[in-house]
């Protein structure tokens, strides 16, 4: 589903699973011998086959890269060109202040304002792609710039910059809850903090401050926000 420009979007092509054999057989069973049926152990090779259309958005791109990261951790070999295309695109759409917006082509809106949830999406995705390309993400200039944006604009009680972002205004005007983009930001902030192996953004302990605020927002029924986000 990767788009030609390296993103992912909502358009998913028709897909049929390819039968792929592992490089190793299953472990011997207690009765002796080896089994050649069932799930295999070892690396699984797959090929890049982008059919997702021309362009996507930075939110879908984040979740695709999170999924590919999990696959890579399970010994699925993700093609190098997939990581390269994603990293190249995310770098190209990083704004001058170090942040990201949803998509500069989103429903013909002039969407060019950095805000928290999509900055964590862009930054987290770039961390994943560059890590699997062998880059030292703690020393990469683009990643450092994104981290600096989060440090300068750090919040745990709001999605920083979202109030002035065109696509967020559009969401709120359509009577969706503002909490949709707030909790999405908090998830992205946690992912970036883990990927960068950092306890703090500037002087802010993101985990402690975030946990304290989230606990303060839990409603008596046990839910948060609208109950759906």
């Amino acid at each position: 589903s990767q788009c030609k420009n390296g993103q992912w979007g909502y358009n998913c092509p028709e897909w049929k699973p390819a039968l792929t054999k592992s490089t190793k057989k299953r472990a011997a069973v207690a009765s002796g011998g080896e089994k050649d049926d069932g799930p295999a152990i070892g690396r699984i090779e797959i090929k890049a086959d982008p059919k997702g259309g021309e362009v996507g958005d930075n939110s879908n791109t984040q979740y695709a890269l999170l999924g590919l990261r999990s696959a890579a951790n399970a010994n699925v070999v993700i093609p190098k060109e997939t990581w390269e295309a994603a990293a190249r695109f995310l770098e190209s759409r990083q704004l001058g202040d170090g942040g990201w917006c949803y998509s500069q082509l989103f429903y013909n809106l002039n969407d060019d304002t950095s805000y928290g949830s999509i900055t964590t999406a862009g930054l987290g995705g770039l961390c994943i792609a560059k890590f699997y390309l062998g880059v030292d993400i703690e020393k990469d200039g683009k990643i450092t710039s994104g981290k600096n944006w989060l440090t300068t604009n750090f919040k745990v009680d709001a999605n920083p910059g979202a109030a002035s972002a065109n696509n967020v205004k559009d969401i709120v005007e359509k009577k969706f809850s503002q909490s949709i983009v707030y909790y999405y930001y908090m998830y992205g902030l946690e992912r970036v903090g883990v990927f960068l192996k950092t306890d703090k953004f500037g002087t802010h302990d993101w985990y402690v401050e975030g946990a304290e605020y989230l606990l303060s927002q839990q409603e008596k029924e046990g839910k948060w926000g609208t109950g759906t986000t």
Side-chain angles (χ1 to χ4, degrees), residues 104-209:
Q104 288 155 325
L105 301 174
F106 180 76
Y107 294 142
N108 296 315
L109 290 172
N110 183 24
D111 185 19
D112 58 359
T113 303
S114 296
Y115 60 102
S117 52
I118 301 300
T119 293
T120 59
L123 181 57
L126 193 58
C127 285
I128 293 169
K130 287 204 165 185
F131 175 83
Y132 285 105
L133 288 170
V135 174
D136 185 344
I137 63 173
E138 295 180 45
K139 297 180 180 179
D140 182 83
K142 293 283 190 178
I143 290 173
T144 298
S145 180
K147 181 182 178 182
N148 289 342
W149 189 95
L150 288 175
T151 299
T152 301
N153 297 278
F154 184 86
K155 291 179 181 291
V156 294
D157 60 351
N159 184 356
S164 57
N166 282 324
N167 79 294
V168 178
K169 290 178 184 177
D170 187 57
I171 289 172
V172 174
E173 286 170 4
K174 290 180 179 177
K175 303 188 186 309
F176 288 97
S177 171
Q178 182 75 23
S179 65
I180 291 173
V181 289
Y182 167 70
Y183 291 112
Y184 176 35
Y185 160 65
M186 290 297 284
Y187 171 70
L189 183 66
E190 183 271 341
R191 288 289 77 199
V192 169
V194 169
F195 294 158
L196 292 177
K197 299 179 181 178
T198 183
D199 294 329
K200 294 183 178 181
F201 289 100
T203 59
H204 296 280
D205 188 319
W206 62 266
Y207 189 94
V208 171
E209 292 183 34

Side-chain angles (χ1 to χ4, degrees), residues 14-63:
E14 291 187 11
W15 172 81
K16 294 181 180 179
L19 296 176
T20 306
K21 292 186 177 180
S22 170
T23 56
K24 297 181 180 179
K25 294 182 179 180
R26 284 175 58 88
V29 295
S31 58
E34 295 180 334
K35 295 184 66 176
D36 57 4
D37 59 336
I41 296 173
R43 289 155 58 90
I44 298 174
E45 303 281 348
I46 59 175
K47 294 181 179 179
D49 187 20
K51 293 180 180 177
E54 296 292 331
V55 298
D57 63 73
N58 291 337
S59 176
N60 278 292
T61 298
Q62 175 195 26
Y63 279 97

